[in-house]
């Protein structure tokens, strides 16, 4: 795997709730009366309720990304921009140092010290899609519409901090080859990934320079989408840690990938679908998006393939991360179902006769 991803795994924050409460008080002058650790990938997140009953999230970046202050500046600038444009996103609170972020020191597993960038951001009330008891075609269309409105706003934003090399950027998909050595080379999983890579080389690479680009949210999945109290409309979106400057169409491809994963993971929550709920959900999402945001023909020609590419990334990197940190059940949340979703997506979207309208 890439050295960057290795460092993210070994530099994941490890802090106790008491350490977090002390840091929030020292850095943001907030006294926590309730603290809970939340699910996370390479970073660490804690729910905080203060004495005034205000709710926050204390985000601690992994040690690798914490060294990239330009990226941190880009993230807080983006959150401020989206807030000003009416989107419910985790708005950062100013720290005692006058900035929208601060730093703390923590111990790694080998007892050496490492510096972490921290943010205290506004808690977005509501329920996550992954906690919804009923996932319907209309809900997927509404999520698609929401991402389209977000995409339109992102088209008018840029920051040099997002112009970076990042494994979760679909422009870097072929870098996934370095991960495959950790898997059975003759097994079905590797063969699925290699098929997607071969098609990517023949269909995406030749048009890579003409696909429209912009800053992406880059992780529109059921653990990052906040619904309203009726679970009918999207209230907001969280987690911009993977934001990157890349192909605009990738935001939609990623969302389609996770639409499939969600209903592979929780088929009992599907309601109102006719036959193949995971694929139908993705297509409802696509229709909701394209009713608001016009795609170019070259983008339509690769959307299904890029969806498969993201599923490869989620399956391979997620599985490897789980090997590195087997106690973190969140890491398996998308990686294991992603293998099933990948097979479904390949059978549907990579069929010779299949086209997105």
């Amino acid at each position: 795997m890439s050295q960057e991803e290795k460092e993210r795994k070994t530099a994941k924050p490890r802090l106790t709730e008491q350490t977090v409460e002390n840091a929030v008080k020292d850095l943001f002058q907030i006294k926590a009366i309730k603290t809970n650790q939340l699910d996370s990938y390479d970073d660490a997140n804690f729910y905080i309720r203060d004495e005034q009953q205000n709710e926050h999230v204390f985000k601690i970046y992994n040690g690798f990304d914490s060294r990239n202050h330009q990226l941190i500046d880009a993230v807080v600038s983006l959150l401020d921009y989206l807030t000003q444009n009416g989107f419910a996103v985790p708005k950062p609170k100013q720290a005692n140092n006058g900035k929208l972020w601060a730093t703390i020191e923590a111990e790694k597993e080998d007892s050496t010290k490492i510096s972490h960038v921290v943010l205290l951001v506004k808690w977005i009330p509501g329920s996550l899609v992954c906690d919804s008891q009923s996932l319907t075609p209309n809900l997927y269309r509404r999520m698609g519409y929401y991402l389209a409105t977000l995409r339109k706003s992102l088209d008018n934003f840029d920051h040099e901090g997002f112009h970076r090399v990042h494994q979760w950027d679909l422009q870097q998909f072929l870098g996934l080859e370095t991960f495959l050595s950790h898997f059975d080379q003759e097994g079905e999983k590797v063969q699925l990934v290699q098929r997607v890579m071969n098609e990517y080389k023949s269909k995406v690479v030749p048009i890579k320079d003409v696909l429209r680009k912009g800053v992406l949210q880059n992780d529109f999945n059921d653990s990052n989408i906040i619904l309203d109290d009726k679970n009918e409309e999207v209230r907001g979106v969280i987690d911009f840690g993977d934001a990157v400057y890349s192909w605009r169409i990738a935001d939609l491809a990623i969302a389609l990938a996770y639409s499939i994963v969600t209903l592979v993971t929780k088929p009992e929550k599907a309601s109102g679908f006719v036959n193949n709920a995971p694929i139908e959900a993705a297509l409802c999402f696509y229709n909701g998006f394209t009713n608001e945001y016009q795609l170019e023909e070259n983008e339509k020609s690769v959307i299904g393939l890029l969806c498969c590419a993201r599923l490869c990334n989620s399956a391979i990197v997620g599985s490897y991360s789980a090997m590195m940190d087997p106690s973190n059940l969140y890491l398996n949340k998308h990686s294991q179902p992603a293998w099933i979703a990948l097979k479904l997506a390949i059978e549907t979207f990579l069929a010779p006769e299949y086209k997105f309208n």
Side-chain angles (χ1 to χ4, degrees):
M1 67 184 299
S2 70
Q3 185 61 33
E4 171 187 325
E5 286 299 316
K6 284 182 180 179
E7 289 195 47
R8 283 198 176 90
K9 305 298 176 276
T10 58
K12 183 178 173 69
R14 290 172 170 81
L15 288 86
T16 65
E17 290 185 2
Q18 186 60 57
T19 301
V20 166
E21 290 179 4
N22 292 340
V24 168
K25 184 176 181 180
D26 293 342
L27 299 174
F28 296 94
Q29 296 182 324
I30 295 289
K31 184 176 180 180
I33 62 170
K34 183 177 181 180
T35 306
N36 289 325
Q37 186 160 11
L38 305 172
D39 287 338
S40 61
Y41 205 79
D42 293 330
D43 302 324
N45 300 302
F46 288 81
Y47 168 84
I48 302 290
R49 184 188 298 159
D50 65 27
E51 290 179 304
Q52 286 73 45
Q53 301 302 310
N54 296 314
E55 297 174 295
H56 317 268
V57 173
F58 187 63
K59 183 175 185 64
I60 307 119
Y61 278 85
N62 65 78
F64 179 84
D65 287 332
S66 290
R67 300 200 298 265
N68 187 350
H69 290 180
Q70 189 177 61
L71 171 62
I72 306 301
D73 286 336
V75 170
V76 297
S77 295
L78 176 57
L79 293 173
D80 182 62
Y81 167 80
L82 290 175
T83 299
Q84 290 181 28
N85 281 272
F87 290 92
V89 296
K91 182 181 179 181
K93 177 180 173 59
Q94 189 177 75
N96 295 342
N97 62 10
K99 297 181 178 181
L100 294 176
W101 55 272
T103 58
I104 60 172
E105 279 200 342
E107 283 191 354
K108 296 171 63 177
E109 285 185 327
D110 60 5
S111 297
T112 59
K113 295 283 187 179
I114 186 170
S115 179
H116 295 282
V117 166
V118 298
L119 306 179
L120 187 68
V121 300
K122 179 182 177 182
W123 172 265
I124 308 298
S127 59
L128 294 171
V129 171
C130 62
D131 295 327
S132 176
Q133 296 306 304
S134 180
L135 301 172
T136 66
N138 188 60
L139 177 58
Y140 278 93
R141 283 189 287 268
R142 298 307 297 166
M143 289 192 287
Y145 170 80
Y146 183 91
L147 180 61
T149 62
L150 180 67
R151 183 64 264 151
K152 283 184 173 180
S153 188
L154 290 173
D155 287 350
N156 296 311
F157 177 87
D158 197 9
H159 192 292
E160 59 185 348
F162 291 129
H163 293 247
R164 58 178 176 141
V165 176
H166 185 41
Q167 180 64 59
W168 291 94
D169 176 3
L170 285 176
Q171 291 183 114
Q172 306 300 322
F173 173 61
L174 295 178
L176 199 65
E177 287 180 311
T178 61
F179 289 73
L180 296 183
S181 61
H182 299 281
F183 296 83
D184 177 9
Q185 297 304 295
E186 301 302 320
E188 182 186 25
K189 291 179 178 179
V190 169
Q191 291 176 8
L192 289 173
V193 175
Q194 288 176 334
R195 176 180 173 183
V196 177
M197 285 185 169
N198 290 336
E199 296 216 21
Y200 181 99
K201 291 173 184 176
S202 65
K203 296 177 181 177
V204 178
V205 172
I207 64 169
K208 64 183 178 64
D209 294 329
V210 298
L211 293 172
R212 293 180 297 176
K213 290 186 178 181
V215 171
L216 313 185
Q217 190 272 343
N218 205 39
D219 199 17
F220 202 76
N221 70 60
D222 63 355
S223 294
N224 291 335
I225 306 167
I226 309 291
L227 299 177
D228 65 7
D229 295 335
K230 294 182 178 180
N231 282 6
E232 294 176 351
E233 296 287 345
V234 178
R235 175 175 286 168
V237 59
I238 59 176
D239 194 353
F240 288 78
D242 284 320
V244 68
Y245 184 83
S246 186
W247 300 316
R248 295 180 190 178
I249 191 61
D251 254 344
L252 177 55
I254 290 162
L256 299 186
Y258 290 125
S259 295
I260 299 170
V261 168
T262 297
L263 288 184
V264 164
T265 308
K266 301 169 182 175
E268 72 282 0
K269 294 187 176 183
S271 175
F273 296 99
V274 177
N275 185 19
N276 188 342
I279 296 297
E280 288 180 34
L283 296 179
C284 287
F285 193 108
Y286 178 85
N287 290 334
F289 183 97
T290 54
N291 283 341
E292 180 66 18
Y293 191 100
Q294 187 172 1
L295 299 181
E296 295 182 348
E297 289 303 314
N298 56 18
E299 293 170 328
K300 293 179 184 179
S301 74
V302 296
I303 179 70
L305 181 52
L306 291 178
C307 169
C308 293
R310 179 59 173 228
L311 289 169
C312 290
N313 231 353
S314 187
I316 290 285
V317 179
S319 296
Y320 182 86
S321 299
M323 293 179 208
M324 296 282 287
D325 187 6
S327 65
N328 189 338
L329 300 181
Y330 177 73
L331 297 175
N332 281 320
K333 188 172 188 176
H334 286 152
S335 65
Q336 293 308 315
W339 290 111
I340 302 171
L342 174 59
K343 193 171 182 179
L344 274 177
I346 288 175
E347 290 172 352
T348 305
F349 300 147
L350 300 193
E353 67 280 5
Y354 195 88
K355 292 184 69 174
F356 280 87
N357 296 320

